[in-house]
Amino acid sequence: MPAPRQQQDRLRVAVVGAGPSGVYAAQGLVREEETGPAVAVDVLDRLPCPYGLVRYGVAPDHEKIKSLQGTLRTVLEHPRIRFLGNVEVGPDGMPPAALLRAYHAVVYCVGAATDRRLGIPGEDLRGSHSATDFVSWYSAHPDARDDGFALGARSAVVIGVGNVAVDVARVLARGADELRPTDMPQAALESLERSAVSTVTMVGRRGPSQAKFTTKELRELGTLPGAETRVREDELSLDPGYRDPEGLPSAVRRNVAVLRDWAAAEPSGRPGTIGLRFYLRPVEILDDGAGAVRGVRFERTAPDGAGGVTGTGAYEEIEAQLVLRSVGYHGVPLDGLPFDARSGTVPHTAGRVLRDGVPSPGEYVAGWIKRGPTGVIGTNRPCAKETVGSLLEDAEALLAARGPLADDPLDVLRAAGRRPVEWGGWLGIEAAEADLGRRLERATVKIPDWDGLLAAAGLPG
Ligand code: NAP
């Protein structure tokens, strides 16, 4: 019988980012322990709360997807996994080089933290926001700014036709009665309750066969009690490359069928509308003369037969006092780690970080910072599995190079001035959010600010 392994013999790994890719990476590392080396994992996050975009990106009315937090929680409660929140990695916190001294290996799962820009005039007018800012606000992200968003607007334009565009259009079109049972922070709920937005128009620069939303999410727009969907038959033409319906991927065929049904439907008389427009490329966000948005100017496009579009020289304006730019996320460089600015990812081979084209011992990536901001939550599982496989292949060499680590990394983090929120602190935040919900006569209500979160975690300023 092999001798029991000592605590110090363990391979110590830091996973940076407690979103789905980070948690799946941690799970993979401890799961292999039967056959591979003994591993102890610290899952670090800049925020005092775990779950990444499942907590701060999945729309509050998508309870089923949010319930995935239960699965992630089970992983973080594993005896060889520690959650350490409120630990920033980077120049203002733990630099990657210092982290690599405290652990045998570091897996960066930091996602794609910013929005892409359109690069057209008017993007910074009052009333023009990235959809990610709007999502952060209604998800209670502690860095989100309350910009009033929907206040005073009657019409909203959402630029882009991906799943985030569908989320923000749906949240805008939902009534207060539908949002109240969610964990949306109280200020956002009250603001949306007062909102007079009755028309939301989502606009794609290409055609319906190139829309990025998934059919389940699209269909849901047609089920809202307070809004009806509007689609124009003349904008549903397919790219010539797709003229043969048999050649359409099944997901596209399903989307187009839903859109065709809506185009043919009689008006239902519901008070609000969600319009879906296609073949319109944004060229300018229009100023009302006082620095606020009054609409968006689009150029009509036509399919080029190769999946893209070309401008036709015809223009159209859509009125709006609120514009949400929902054109995808982009990775942010982490000082001290290599970065490919074009793709917004860290260069890697099978998850091993490449420095000057060569794998850097002990440094790995998984999730959006590895492959770019695509796919659904489940896509992170195989992505993390590949990275974990590479790390475990390297484990023996990493242990041999460093030997057992003398210090508990938690002490190293504290000595470096960090104040980690441990699992008990997170449970304190959960309890405070349940309590806030009871006081507001709602279900759990999220705490939207740093001071509130840290106090609930037992770390008052
Ligand atoms: P996305 O799926 O990449 O969609 C971005 C949209 O923006 C596309 O319609 C794109 O059009 C358009 N766009 C890009 N640049 C543009 C420009 N310059 N002008 C006009 N339009 C432009 O991104 P996302 O919606 O942010 O979603 C990110 C990921 O999260 C996706 O994988 C998504 O499925 C996932 N997600 C899933 C859910 C869910 O499962 N419920 C919810 C939210 C997000 P082109 O195609 O023409 O570039």
Side-chain angles (χ1 to χ4, degrees):
M1 204 168 116
R5 285 185 269 214
Q6 298 301 306
Q7 175 82 2
Q8 300 90 309
D9 292 340
R10 289 217 170 114
L11 184 77
R12 289 196 166 269
V13 181
V15 169
V16 183
S21 61
V23 176
Y24 291 144
Q27 184 179 36
L29 285 164
V30 294
R31 186 180 275 165
E32 303 295 327
E33 201 179 67
E34 297 288 303
T35 49
V39 183
V41 185
D42 286 347
V43 180
L44 316 180
D45 204 286
R46 192 174 79 79
L47 297 178
C49 313
Y51 311 138
L53 279 183
V54 177
R55 179 172 161 93
Y56 288 116
V58 172
D61 61 335
H62 272 177
E63 284 92 359
K64 194 150 170 246
I65 310 181
K66 280 211 162 302
S67 68
L68 181 66
Q69 290 185 10
T71 312
L72 304 181
R73 175 196 194 96
T74 309
V75 176
L76 292 175
E77 288 179 333
H78 187 283
R80 278 181 304 286
I81 297 179
R82 274 192 306 205
F83 168 71
L84 299 176
N86 195 35
V87 176
E88 175 147 13
V89 174
D92 298 332
M94 289 293 285
L99 209 54
L100 203 50
R101 283 194 293 277
Y103 293 90
H104 291 103
V106 184
V107 188
Y108 291 93
C109 303
V110 293
T114 192
D115 55 290
R116 299 216 318 247
R117 300 278 296 176
L118 283 169
I120 60 172
E123 253 183 298
D124 296 317
L125 288 171
R126 206 161 61 251
S128 162
H129 306 273
S130 74
T132 51
D133 283 349
F134 185 61
V135 170
S136 291
W137 170 69
Y138 69 55
S139 303
H141 194 292
D143 291 340
R145 280 193 309 133
D146 185 348
D147 265 308
F149 291 98
L151 286 180
R154 300 174 308 284
S155 309
V157 161
V158 180
I159 299 175
V161 282
N163 275 335
V164 170
V166 173
D167 277 349
V168 298
R170 192 184 64 254
V171 167
L172 276 172
R174 277 216 190 273
D177 288 351
E178 298 160 73
L179 296 174
R180 182 160 276 274
T182 73
D183 63 6
M184 182 179 278
Q186 186 68 7
L189 177 73
E190 286 174 6
S191 185
L192 288 169
E193 266 175 356
R194 293 198 300 275
S195 153
V197 172
S198 60
T199 305
V200 183
T201 310
M202 286 171 58
V203 188
R205 62 180 170 178
R206 299 192 288 160
S209 51
Q210 286 102 10
K212 297 273 180 63
F213 42 60
T214 40
T215 312
K216 186 163 164 280
E217 276 62 31
L218 176 67
R219 272 207 191 104
E220 194 183 1
L221 291 179
T223 67
L224 305 187
E228 69 182 8
T229 47
R230 291 223 179 123
V231 179
R232 286 167 48 155
E233 182 68 49
D234 62 345
E235 290 184 341
L236 293 185
S237 62
L238 302 182
D239 187 279
Y242 281 152
R243 279 278 153 77
D244 171 13
E246 293 305 309
L248 285 176
S250 56
V252 172
R253 210 176 320 146
R254 285 196 300 269
N255 279 351
V256 172
V258 171
L259 293 167
R260 291 229 160 102
D261 281 354
W262 287 347
E266 293 295 322
S268 67
R270 292 179 204 159
T273 58
I274 299 179
L276 288 103
R277 302 289 310 271
F278 295 97
Y279 294 115
L280 292 172
R281 168 162 82 194
V283 291
E284 183 178 358
I285 299 178
L286 301 166
D287 192 332
D288 69 351
V293 166
R294 71 167 172 84
V296 185
R297 185 170 154 83
F298 293 92
E299 181 180 14
R300 181 152 291 284
T301 62
D304 65 5
V309 284
T310 49
T312 62
Y315 292 88
E316 175 173 339
E317 288 181 15
I318 301 181
E319 182 209 310
Q321 300 76 41
L322 171 66
V323 173
L324 297 176
R325 309 177 312 263
S326 184
V327 296
Y329 292 86
H330 197 77
V332 174
L334 189 65
D335 216 21
L337 266 196
F339 188 69
D340 173 9
R342 197 188 43 81
S343 62
T345 59
V346 170
H348 72 94
T349 173
R352 294 181 177 92
V353 171
L354 294 175
R355 289 185 184 270
D356 300 323
V358 180
S360 167
E363 292 185 302
Y364 302 84
V365 277
W368 278 2
I369 197 67
K370 171 184 173 189
R371 62 172 205 278
T374 57
V376 292
I377 293 168
T379 316
N380 291 299
R381 260 185 195 283
C383 177
K385 190 166 188 246
E386 180 193 54
T387 299
V388 165
S390 297
L391 195 160
L392 292 176
E393 262 172 46
D394 302 344
E396 212 171 294
L398 292 167
L399 268 169
R402 299 280 303 277
L405 297 176
D407 297 317
D408 180 346
L410 185 53
D411 296 332
V412 179
L413 294 173
R414 288 205 175 107
R418 306 292 101 206
R419 296 198 307 154
V421 167
E422 297 182 65
W423 192 247
W426 160 243
L427 296 182
I429 293 174
E430 274 193 331
E433 293 188 335
D435 189 45
L436 179 60
R438 272 190 294 277
R439 278 187 278 126
L440 293 166
E441 297 183 359
R442 295 177 54 198
T444 287
V445 174
K446 278 161 134 184
I447 296 172
D449 61 291
W450 276 100
D451 287 349
L453 289 170
L454 290 176
L459 282 183

